Amino acid sequence: MKYPAFLIKYAEIAIKGKNRYVFEDALMHRIKLALKYTDGEFAVTKSQGRVYVNCLTDYDEDEVIAALQTVFGINAICPVVKLADEGFDKLCEEAVRYIDEEYPDKNRTFKVFAKRARKTYPVRSTEMNCALGEAILGAFPEMKVDVHEPEIELHVEVREDIYIYSRQVPGPGGMPVGTNGKAMLLLSGGIDSPVAGYMIAKRGVKIDAVYFHAPPYTSERAKQKVIDLAKIVAKYTGTICLHVINFTDIQLAIYEKCPHEELTIIMRRYMMRIAERIALENGCLGLITGESIGQVASQTVQSLAVTNEVCTLPVFRPLIGFDKQEIIEVSEKIGTFETSILPYEDCCTIFVAKHPVTKPEAKIIRRSETKLADCIDELVEKAIETDEVLNVI
Ligand code: ATP
Ligand code: MG
C-alpha cells in the first residue's frame, strides 16, 4: 500500500459555525457510501477540521480516487504518507525519501509548505520550511526552489501524526448531498434532465425523481433507459427514489380534447402538477427540470411562464442559460450521455404537433384545459395511483 491515507480537502466558505458539523458529517457519510463499492476497507475519520480516509487494507488507488470523485463537497483528494513523530531529523529524512520515491525525475522546482497544527512541536513552520528545503536540496542538487510557481508543492503537516503530501487530485466540488433539503427531479430519457439533477445535487440537495411513461406508446426499453440514467446519476447523489407514473390516459385525453398545437404545453402543465403532488407527499421542497430557454417550443420564455404557473413549489432549472453543447459536455463528464442518446422514444415525441405554439398565452391555455373538466381530476388521481416506486442505487 503506497499511501496509507487520503486527506480530503473541502471548501470551507459555506461551513462556518454549527454548519461545519452538519457538512463534515454528511461528507463523511457520503464518502463511506462511495467507498463501499470499492475493493478495500477504510476508516473515515475527522480530526482538527480535516477529513481523512485511512486505508486499512490494500486497495486500488485509481478505483478509490474515482469513487471519491463522485462525492460532492470534496475539492481535492490528496494521497498522504503518514508518519509517527520521531524527531525533526527523522522527518527531514522522510521528506527526502518521499521526494525520491514520488519524483524519479529530479529536474524540477519545488516549495515546502510546512504547517505546525500541533503547537507543542518544537520546530516552527518557517524553520521547517527552510530546513526541509535545505535537506531536499542537499540530497538532490539538481532540484531548485521556486517560491512563486513551484512544480512540486510539498506539504508537511504536523498534527498528532505527521502527514506528507504533494499531489492534489481535483474532486467534484459542491456540497455533500443531504445538507440542503430534497427536491423532485422530472427525469426523462433525454440529455438534459439527468444533468439538471446532477447540478442540483451538487449543491447538497437530495434527489427524488419522477418519470412519466405512456405505455404502449412508450416502450419498456424507454422506461429501462430512464432507470439506467437514474442509476448513473445515483452514483453522485446516493439512492434515488424514482416514481414511475403512467401518463397514457391523461395524454390521450389531452390529444382528444385540446387543440393539437397546444398538446405539449398542456401535457407539460399536467406533468408539473403531478410532480408537485408527489414532491409534497415526499417532503421535497422544489422541482427540478432540464429546461433551457429557447431549446424547443415548450421552452420559450412564454412557454416556461405558462408551465410554471401551475406550480407553487419553486422550480429549479439549472440549465436555463446553457447551450445544448454545454449541456452535452457535462453529460459526457458525468457519464450519462451515451445512455441519453439511445434512440428510444420518450412520451413527448409521440404526441408532438407539427406546429406547436411557441408563444402560448396563459388564459388561452387555461381555457383549452377547461375542455378536460369532465375527466381530468379523476385521471390525475388514477395516474397518481399508478405510482411505481423504485429505489435506484
Ligand atoms: P430532456 O433531455 O431532459 O428530455 P428535452 O430537451 O427533451 O429534455 P422536454 O422534452 O421539453 O425537453 O422536457 C423538458 C423537461 O421536462 C425535461 O428536462 C424534464 O425535466 C421534463 N420531462 C419531459 N418529459 C418528461 C417525462 N416523460 N418524465 C419526466 N419528466 C419529463
Ligand atoms: Mg425530453
Side-chain angles (χ1 to χ4, degrees):
M1 184 175 8
K2 193 166 178 199
Y3 302 100
F6 294 88
L7 163 65
I8 303 300
K9 291 198 168 176
Y10 46 86
E12 312 226 356
I13 302 151
I15 51 171
K16 296 274 176 270
K18 261 195 214 158
N19 280 344
R20 167 166 218 125
Y21 298 97
V22 176
F23 184 102
E24 287 173 343
D25 290 349
L27 183 66
M28 290 170 68
H29 177 64
R30 307 260 29 125
I31 289 173
K32 285 178 200 162
L33 288 178
L35 291 174
K36 239 167 79 177
Y37 302 101
T38 65
D39 288 333
E41 279 177 43
F42 306 90
V44 183
T45 56
K46 175 169 81 168
S47 104
Q48 295 181 303
R50 294 284 210 195
V51 170
Y52 295 95
V53 172
N54 301 286
C55 311
L56 307 178
T57 58
D58 216 357
Y59 60 89
D60 176 342
E61 188 186 313
D62 291 343
E63 186 189 44
V64 169
I65 287 179
L68 292 171
Q69 281 179 319
T70 66
V71 179
F72 294 133
I74 295 182
N75 276 6
I77 303 149
C78 312
V80 294
V81 168
K82 200 167 153 185
L83 310 170
D85 182 3
E86 296 177 279
F88 188 62
D89 289 345
K90 181 78 174 150
L91 174 55
C92 290
E93 266 174 45
E94 291 293 341
V96 167
R97 195 166 74 175
Y98 175 90
I99 291 286
D100 198 19
E101 287 178 7
E102 194 75 22
Y103 301 100
D105 173 12
K106 301 292 183 295
N107 223 332
R108 299 183 197 233
T109 60
F110 75 102
K111 178 179 178 182
V112 181
F113 294 81
K115 186 167 181 172
R116 188 176 62 142
R118 172 160 37 102
K119 293 299 172 203
T120 55
Y121 195 72
V123 188
R124 288 166 182 271
S125 304
T126 42
E127 293 167 39
M128 274 199 267
N129 282 337
C130 294
L132 288 164
E134 275 170 26
I136 292 165
L137 289 172
F140 312 115
E142 60 275 51
M143 292 188 77
K144 284 196 190 69
V145 174
D146 181 344
V147 290
H148 301 295
E149 281 183 31
E151 291 167 65
I152 303 168
E153 295 188 0
L154 181 71
H155 293 262
V156 176
E157 296 192 359
V158 178
R159 300 176 179 273
E160 265 163 55
D161 294 306
I162 297 172
Y163 297 89
I164 301 181
Y165 66 92
S166 60
R167 200 148 53 94
Q168 306 203 35
V169 184
M175 294 180 221
V177 170
T179 53
N180 247 330
K182 185 162 79 162
M184 179 66 72
L185 168 66
L186 283 85
L187 181 63
S188 68
I191 294 169
D192 307 328
S193 45
V195 173
Y198 170 91
M199 289 182 68
I200 295 298
K202 188 174 170 194
R203 305 309 302 160
V205 180
K206 186 157 174 34
I207 304 284
D208 280 358
V210 56
Y211 166 57
F212 297 95
H213 80 144
Y217 303 98
T218 59
S219 65
E220 273 303 302
R221 284 202 306 179
K223 174 176 157 188
Q224 187 57 46
K225 175 179 163 185
V226 173
I227 297 171
D228 292 343
L229 285 170
K231 258 189 206 156
I232 301 170
V233 177
K235 277 205 269 179
Y236 304 90
T237 63
T239 307
I240 293 179
C241 181
L242 172 65
H243 300 262
V244 180
I245 300 284
N246 186 322
F247 200 62
T248 311
D249 290 343
I250 294 177
Q251 234 171 358
L252 288 173
I254 299 171
Y255 191 70
E256 205 175 289
K257 300 186 180 190
C258 300
H260 282 193
E261 65 277 13
E262 295 170 8
L263 286 180
T264 306
I265 193 89
I266 294 175
M267 185 185 77
R268 302 272 309 115
R269 279 160 63 98
Y270 279 100
M271 282 186 184
M272 297 298 268
R273 288 177 173 113
I274 294 174
E276 180 167 82
R277 280 271 298 271
I278 302 170
L280 290 170
E281 279 166 20
N282 289 279
C284 294
L285 302 171
L287 303 176
I288 305 163
T289 74
E291 291 159 313
S292 148
I293 291 175
Q295 200 186 81
V296 286
S298 59
Q299 297 177 27
T300 61
V301 169
Q302 291 84 352
S303 298
L304 289 168
V306 172
T307 306
N308 205 67
E309 71 155 18
V310 301
C311 306
T312 54
L313 281 178
V315 182
F316 305 133
R317 299 178 171 92
L319 309 182
I320 200 72
F322 276 40
D323 292 340
K324 194 76 190 184
Q325 193 50 39
E326 292 171 310
I327 301 171
I328 288 174
E329 277 164 26
V330 184
S331 79
E332 284 175 334
K333 188 184 85 183
I334 68 175
T336 50
F337 184 70
E338 294 298 324
T339 307
S340 288
I341 57 172
L342 294 174
Y344 314 137
E345 73 291 353
D346 73 29
C347 72
C348 312
T349 50
I350 306 272
F351 293 95
V352 280
K354 279 215 178 67
H355 302 289
V357 279
T358 54
K359 292 183 184 162
E361 266 186 67
K363 65 174 190 295
I364 294 175
I365 300 297
R366 276 183 233 133
R367 196 187 310 140
S368 300
E369 283 181 356
T370 62
K371 301 199 171 96
L372 300 163
D374 60 335
C375 63
I376 195 68
D377 289 350
E378 196 190 331
L379 290 178
V380 167
E381 291 312 316
K382 273 198 177 147
I384 288 172
E385 276 168 30
T386 67
D387 188 356
E388 179 193 356
V389 182
L390 305 168
N391 282 311
V392 182
I393 304 175

